Amino acid sequence: MMVINTVVLSIICGSFVVYSNCLKDWNNQRLPATSVIITFHNEARSALLRTIISVFRKSREELIHEIILVDDFSDDPSDGLELAVIQKVKVLRNNKREGLMRSRVRGADASTAEILTFLDSHCECNVNWLEPLLERVAEDKTRVVSPIIDVINMDNFEYIGAASDIKGGFGWNLVFKWDYMSAEEIKRRENNPTAPIRTPLIAGGLFTINKSWFNQLGKYDTKMDVWGGENIEISFRVWLCHGSLEIIPCSRVGHVFRKQHPYTFPGGSGIVFARNTRRAAEVWMDEYKHLYYNTVPSSKYVSFGDISERLDLKKKLKCRPFKWFLENVYPELEVPPNQALLYGMIKQGEMCMDTMGHFADGSIGLFHCHNSGGNQEWSFSEDGSLRHLDLCIVLPSNTAGTVLELAHCTPTHHSMKWIQIHNKNMFKHRSYNLCIDSRDVQSQGLIALPCDETARTQQWKFIIN
Ligand SMILES: *[C@@H]1O[C@H](CO)[C@@H](O)[C@H](O)[C@H]1NC(C)=O
């Protein structure tokens, strides 16, 4: 736990890069007031107090409508209660552990200002941090804006200004990371270094949003637990459902980065993180979710619960496909070539293509479809490989009647390349007029025969899951 004393407190009101065009006379600007929402669980009192004091000290009084503290069932209820005596501070306490997302939604629901500002419980707001955020949101309610997050060293509380030429991004593991702007973008910004930075992702805890838009947009996914994955989810949702995310260089808030997360994770942090992230991927990423599963295969075995409400929301808000996000918001994120995006089962009537538990050199069979993946899970990728995990269906020779086999895919050999023909209902080898046929499946397994679109045994339906 962090303990800070008054000596430390007095030296931390740190310096930071001030751009001359940030120094406008904000006092003459009419801006809406905000509710500040801070959730915490077993936060050090000193850190929490420091956050609140900095909100009051560094903000114009009339812009702070209230501060809502949501105590997410901390061990000691007096942590929050003692702060409730401060004017404009309201404290809500959960009577069981709810996690960040449900706590934030509870705070937002209780708030009475038109604008919400979410902060973490261990922050220090800097001079004029609030006005530039409010200005952007008041101009356009679909903007979700965050400050530059400066670093407060957790050992000595030193305040270190962060770079302002970075933005939030991620890799296919769906873990947040900071990306440097391209040289071109840095150059473009030279004349206007305080212009808002469009960012694919927000880092998480700190942002300002119009409350009515937050509500319309579906708040948070309240079926996510504890912490983690929610920043990816809300970022995807904002962009795909017709909003935008910005980092505002004139606004700076310090954040204590710690080596260990103070939240304890019931169920283990890895599982909770994977579950939350999977919910985001399943709802928002369309076929690109498979790139996440390919990168973090273990996540496939974590159940993600019911997402039907979130899918309904996506439909209701007419949100865009994930491909749009990749093309327009985050073109820097490379889609690896030849990755399978088509995953599912391959059906013929009630039967499904099945590895029958065979490995390399084994044949392929048919089995009643059981809809639970396993040996019936196939992918088909742009390079023509038809695969189950890392096994591909291979044509061992180009003679009609040859029995198809499973073989390790990498690197994909031409004997493993297939195309879908005849309304995508048949799988034909790329080089020969031979199609996958089931007529001898009982005695030998699947074979290759001259393509015949009248043959029922060559008709397959790829059912995407
Ligand atoms: C927030 O959005 C609502 C709904 O669009 C709008 O009526 C309201 O004026 C906005 N509030 C502010 C302060 O911008």
PDB file of all heavy atoms in Angstrom, residues 33-36 55-56 59-67 88 129-130:
ATOM      1  N   ALA A  33     -20.788  21.668 -16.888  1.00  0.00           N
ATOM      2  CA  ALA A  33     -20.173  21.065 -15.707  1.00  0.00           C
ATOM      3  C   ALA A  33     -20.186  19.543 -15.846  1.00  0.00           C
ATOM      4  O   ALA A  33     -20.957  18.983 -16.615  1.00  0.00           O
ATOM      5  CB  ALA A  33     -20.944  21.470 -14.455  1.00  0.00           C
ATOM      6  N   THR A  34     -19.319  18.893 -15.095  1.00  0.00           N
ATOM      7  CA  THR A  34     -19.218  17.439 -15.192  1.00  0.00           C
ATOM      8  C   THR A  34     -19.361  16.766 -13.831  1.00  0.00           C
ATOM      9  O   THR A  34     -19.012  17.343 -12.794  1.00  0.00           O
ATOM     10  CB  THR A  34     -17.858  17.038 -15.817  1.00  0.00           C
ATOM     11  OG1 THR A  34     -17.810  15.611 -15.990  1.00  0.00           O
ATOM     12  CG2 THR A  34     -16.677  17.449 -14.958  1.00  0.00           C
ATOM     13  N   SER A  35     -19.891  15.552 -13.851  1.00  0.00           N
ATOM     14  CA  SER A  35     -19.783  14.678 -12.689  1.00  0.00           C
ATOM     15  C   SER A  35     -18.490  13.885 -12.869  1.00  0.00           C
ATOM     16  O   SER A  35     -18.240  13.363 -13.950  1.00  0.00           O
ATOM     17  CB  SER A  35     -20.944  13.692 -12.635  1.00  0.00           C
ATOM     18  OG  SER A  35     -22.166  14.359 -12.501  1.00  0.00           O
ATOM     19  N   VAL A  36     -17.695  13.827 -11.829  1.00  0.00           N
ATOM     20  CA  VAL A  36     -16.458  13.041 -11.890  1.00  0.00           C
ATOM     21  C   VAL A  36     -16.719  11.722 -11.169  1.00  0.00           C
ATOM     22  O   VAL A  36     -17.187  11.723 -10.025  1.00  0.00           O
ATOM     23  CB  VAL A  36     -15.291  13.794 -11.227  1.00  0.00           C
ATOM     24  CG1 VAL A  36     -14.024  12.938 -11.207  1.00  0.00           C
ATOM     25  CG2 VAL A  36     -15.031  15.110 -11.961  1.00  0.00           C
ATOM     26  N   VAL A  55      -8.620  17.151  -8.173  1.00  0.00           N
ATOM     27  CA  VAL A  55      -9.781  17.502  -8.995  1.00  0.00           C
ATOM     28  C   VAL A  55     -10.287  18.885  -8.579  1.00  0.00           C
ATOM     29  O   VAL A  55     -10.518  19.759  -9.414  1.00  0.00           O
ATOM     30  CB  VAL A  55     -10.912  16.458  -8.860  1.00  0.00           C
ATOM     31  CG1 VAL A  55     -12.204  16.963  -9.516  1.00  0.00           C
ATOM     32  CG2 VAL A  55     -10.501  15.130  -9.481  1.00  0.00           C
ATOM     33  N   PHE A  56     -10.434  19.084  -7.273  1.00  0.00           N
ATOM     34  CA  PHE A  56     -10.940  20.385  -6.804  1.00  0.00           C
ATOM     35  C   PHE A  56      -9.953  21.512  -7.049  1.00  0.00           C
ATOM     36  O   PHE A  56     -10.326  22.599  -7.474  1.00  0.00           O
ATOM     37  CB  PHE A  56     -11.283  20.313  -5.309  1.00  0.00           C
ATOM     38  CG  PHE A  56     -12.573  19.580  -5.038  1.00  0.00           C
ATOM     39  CD1 PHE A  56     -12.623  18.547  -4.127  1.00  0.00           C
ATOM     40  CD2 PHE A  56     -13.754  19.941  -5.689  1.00  0.00           C
ATOM     41  CE1 PHE A  56     -13.820  17.879  -3.869  1.00  0.00           C
ATOM     42  CE2 PHE A  56     -14.946  19.274  -5.449  1.00  0.00           C
ATOM     43  CZ  PHE A  56     -14.980  18.238  -4.536  1.00  0.00           C
ATOM     44  N   SER A  59      -9.439  22.433 -10.983  1.00  0.00           N
ATOM     45  CA  SER A  59     -10.599  22.647 -11.858  1.00  0.00           C
ATOM     46  C   SER A  59     -11.330  23.901 -11.401  1.00  0.00           C
ATOM     47  O   SER A  59     -11.384  24.196 -10.210  1.00  0.00           O
ATOM     48  CB  SER A  59     -11.573  21.475 -11.773  1.00  0.00           C
ATOM     49  OG  SER A  59     -10.911  20.242 -11.770  1.00  0.00           O
ATOM     50  N   ARG A  60     -11.917  24.615 -12.355  1.00  0.00           N
ATOM     51  CA  ARG A  60     -12.743  25.751 -11.992  1.00  0.00           C
ATOM     52  C   ARG A  60     -13.959  25.249 -11.246  1.00  0.00           C
ATOM     53  O   ARG A  60     -14.577  24.275 -11.670  1.00  0.00           O
ATOM     54  CB  ARG A  60     -13.182  26.478 -13.266  1.00  0.00           C
ATOM     55  CG  ARG A  60     -12.914  27.955 -13.222  1.00  0.00           C
ATOM     56  CD  ARG A  60     -12.854  28.468 -14.627  1.00  0.00           C
ATOM     57  NE  ARG A  60     -14.202  28.483 -15.201  1.00  0.00           N
ATOM     58  CZ  ARG A  60     -14.439  28.398 -16.505  1.00  0.00           C
ATOM     59  NH1 ARG A  60     -13.444  28.258 -17.352  1.00  0.00           N
ATOM     60  NH2 ARG A  60     -15.674  28.452 -16.960  1.00  0.00           N
ATOM     61  N   GLU A  61     -14.278  25.907 -10.174  1.00  0.00           N
ATOM     62  CA  GLU A  61     -15.275  25.370  -9.254  1.00  0.00           C
ATOM     63  C   GLU A  61     -16.596  25.008  -9.937  1.00  0.00           C
ATOM     64  O   GLU A  61     -17.150  23.933  -9.720  1.00  0.00           O
ATOM     65  CB  GLU A  61     -15.528  26.387  -8.147  1.00  0.00           C
ATOM     66  CG  GLU A  61     -16.240  25.769  -6.975  1.00  0.00           C
ATOM     67  CD  GLU A  61     -16.684  26.824  -5.976  1.00  0.00           C
ATOM     68  OE1 GLU A  61     -16.081  27.916  -5.939  1.00  0.00           O
ATOM     69  OE2 GLU A  61     -17.651  26.545  -5.250  1.00  0.00           O
ATOM     70  N   GLU A  62     -17.067  25.907 -10.789  1.00  0.00           N
ATOM     71  CA  GLU A  62     -18.394  25.663 -11.366  1.00  0.00           C
ATOM     72  C   GLU A  62     -18.395  24.518 -12.377  1.00  0.00           C
ATOM     73  O   GLU A  62     -19.453  24.065 -12.809  1.00  0.00           O
ATOM     74  CB  GLU A  62     -18.962  26.946 -11.987  1.00  0.00           C
ATOM     75  CG  GLU A  62     -18.273  27.441 -13.235  1.00  0.00           C
ATOM     76  CD  GLU A  62     -17.096  28.394 -12.951  1.00  0.00           C
ATOM     77  OE1 GLU A  62     -16.536  28.352 -11.833  1.00  0.00           O
ATOM     78  OE2 GLU A  62     -16.747  29.168 -13.861  1.00  0.00           O
ATOM     79  N   LEU A  63     -17.216  24.039 -12.762  1.00  0.00           N
ATOM     80  CA  LEU A  63     -17.185  22.934 -13.726  1.00  0.00           C
ATOM     81  C   LEU A  63     -17.304  21.560 -13.061  1.00  0.00           C
ATOM     82  O   LEU A  63     -17.534  20.558 -13.719  1.00  0.00           O
ATOM     83  CB  LEU A  63     -15.892  22.987 -14.555  1.00  0.00           C
ATOM     84  CG  LEU A  63     -15.717  24.231 -15.420  1.00  0.00           C
ATOM     85  CD1 LEU A  63     -14.437  24.131 -16.243  1.00  0.00           C
ATOM     86  CD2 LEU A  63     -16.918  24.446 -16.346  1.00  0.00           C
ATOM     87  N   ILE A  64     -17.127  21.543 -11.746  1.00  0.00           N
ATOM     88  CA  ILE A  64     -17.283  20.274 -11.024  1.00  0.00           C
ATOM     89  C   ILE A  64     -18.669  20.249 -10.391  1.00  0.00           C
ATOM     90  O   ILE A  64     -18.923  20.892  -9.378  1.00  0.00           O
ATOM     91  CB  ILE A  64     -16.202  20.099  -9.927  1.00  0.00           C
ATOM     92  CG1 ILE A  64     -14.802  20.171 -10.539  1.00  0.00           C
ATOM     93  CG2 ILE A  64     -16.402  18.770  -9.179  1.00  0.00           C
ATOM     94  CD1 ILE A  64     -14.473  19.078 -11.525  1.00  0.00           C
ATOM     95  N   HIS A  65     -19.542  19.492 -11.023  1.00  0.00           N
ATOM     96  CA  HIS A  65     -20.902  19.393 -10.500  1.00  0.00           C
ATOM     97  C   HIS A  65     -20.907  18.546  -9.221  1.00  0.00           C
ATOM     98  O   HIS A  65     -21.580  18.856  -8.251  1.00  0.00           O
ATOM     99  CB  HIS A  65     -21.792  18.770 -11.572  1.00  0.00           C
ATOM    100  CG  HIS A  65     -23.212  18.602 -11.158  1.00  0.00           C
ATOM    101  ND1 HIS A  65     -24.068  19.667 -11.047  1.00  0.00           N
ATOM    102  CD2 HIS A  65     -23.920  17.502 -10.802  1.00  0.00           C
ATOM    103  CE1 HIS A  65     -25.250  19.224 -10.649  1.00  0.00           C
ATOM    104  NE2 HIS A  65     -25.187  17.918 -10.492  1.00  0.00           N
ATOM    105  N   GLU A  66     -20.123  17.487  -9.239  1.00  0.00           N
ATOM    106  CA  GLU A  66     -20.044  16.580  -8.091  1.00  0.00           C
ATOM    107  C   GLU A  66     -18.921  15.584  -8.344  1.00  0.00           C
ATOM    108  O   GLU A  66     -18.468  15.423  -9.470  1.00  0.00           O
ATOM    109  CB  GLU A  66     -21.372  15.798  -7.927  1.00  0.00           C
ATOM    110  CG  GLU A  66     -21.638  14.893  -9.122  1.00  0.00           C
ATOM    111  CD  GLU A  66     -23.066  14.370  -9.230  1.00  0.00           C
ATOM    112  OE1 GLU A  66     -23.817  14.465  -8.251  1.00  0.00           O
ATOM    113  OE2 GLU A  66     -23.414  13.874 -10.314  1.00  0.00           O
ATOM    114  N   ILE A  67     -18.481  14.937  -7.280  1.00  0.00           N
ATOM    115  CA  ILE A  67     -17.575  13.794  -7.431  1.00  0.00           C
ATOM    116  C   ILE A  67     -18.307  12.597  -6.845  1.00  0.00           C
ATOM    117  O   ILE A  67     -18.754  12.638  -5.695  1.00  0.00           O
ATOM    118  CB  ILE A  67     -16.242  14.005  -6.691  1.00  0.00           C
ATOM    119  CG1 ILE A  67     -15.460  15.170  -7.311  1.00  0.00           C
ATOM    120  CG2 ILE A  67     -15.393  12.726  -6.747  1.00  0.00           C
ATOM    121  CD1 ILE A  67     -14.112  15.436  -6.645  1.00  0.00           C
ATOM    122  N   LYS A  88     -19.751  18.375  -2.200  1.00  0.00           N
ATOM    123  CA  LYS A  88     -19.895  17.867  -3.570  1.00  0.00           C
ATOM    124  C   LYS A  88     -19.452  16.415  -3.734  1.00  0.00           C
ATOM    125  O   LYS A  88     -19.493  15.888  -4.834  1.00  0.00           O
ATOM    126  CB  LYS A  88     -19.115  18.725  -4.584  1.00  0.00           C
ATOM    127  CG  LYS A  88     -19.619  20.139  -4.770  1.00  0.00           C
ATOM    128  CD  LYS A  88     -19.015  20.710  -6.041  1.00  0.00           C
ATOM    129  CE  LYS A  88     -19.326  22.187  -6.184  1.00  0.00           C
ATOM    130  NZ  LYS A  88     -18.752  22.732  -7.434  1.00  0.00           N
ATOM    131  N   TRP A 129      -6.684  20.887 -16.757  1.00  0.00           N
ATOM    132  CA  TRP A 129      -6.877  19.561 -17.349  1.00  0.00           C
ATOM    133  C   TRP A 129      -8.286  19.374 -17.903  1.00  0.00           C
ATOM    134  O   TRP A 129      -8.506  18.674 -18.879  1.00  0.00           O
ATOM    135  CB  TRP A 129      -6.632  18.462 -16.292  1.00  0.00           C
ATOM    136  CG  TRP A 129      -7.737  18.411 -15.256  1.00  0.00           C
ATOM    137  CD1 TRP A 129      -7.984  19.330 -14.274  1.00  0.00           C
ATOM    138  CD2 TRP A 129      -8.754  17.407 -15.140  1.00  0.00           C
ATOM    139  NE1 TRP A 129      -9.088  18.954 -13.546  1.00  0.00           N
ATOM    140  CE2 TRP A 129      -9.580  17.778 -14.048  1.00  0.00           C
ATOM    141  CE3 TRP A 129      -9.043  16.223 -15.828  1.00  0.00           C
ATOM    142  CZ2 TRP A 129     -10.676  17.022 -13.638  1.00  0.00           C
ATOM    143  CZ3 TRP A 129     -10.139  15.475 -15.421  1.00  0.00           C
ATOM    144  CH2 TRP A 129     -10.946  15.879 -14.336  1.00  0.00           C
ATOM    145  N   LEU A 130      -9.250  20.058 -17.276  1.00  0.00           N
ATOM    146  CA  LEU A 130     -10.645  19.729 -17.560  1.00  0.00           C
ATOM    147  C   LEU A 130     -11.228  20.496 -18.747  1.00  0.00           C
ATOM    148  O   LEU A 130     -11.962  19.937 -19.560  1.00  0.00           O
ATOM    149  CB  LEU A 130     -11.478  19.991 -16.288  1.00  0.00           C
ATOM    150  CG  LEU A 130     -12.939  19.579 -16.323  1.00  0.00           C
ATOM    151  CD1 LEU A 130     -13.087  18.100 -16.652  1.00  0.00           C
ATOM    152  CD2 LEU A 130     -13.603  19.895 -14.977  1.00  0.00           C
TER     153      LEU A 130
END
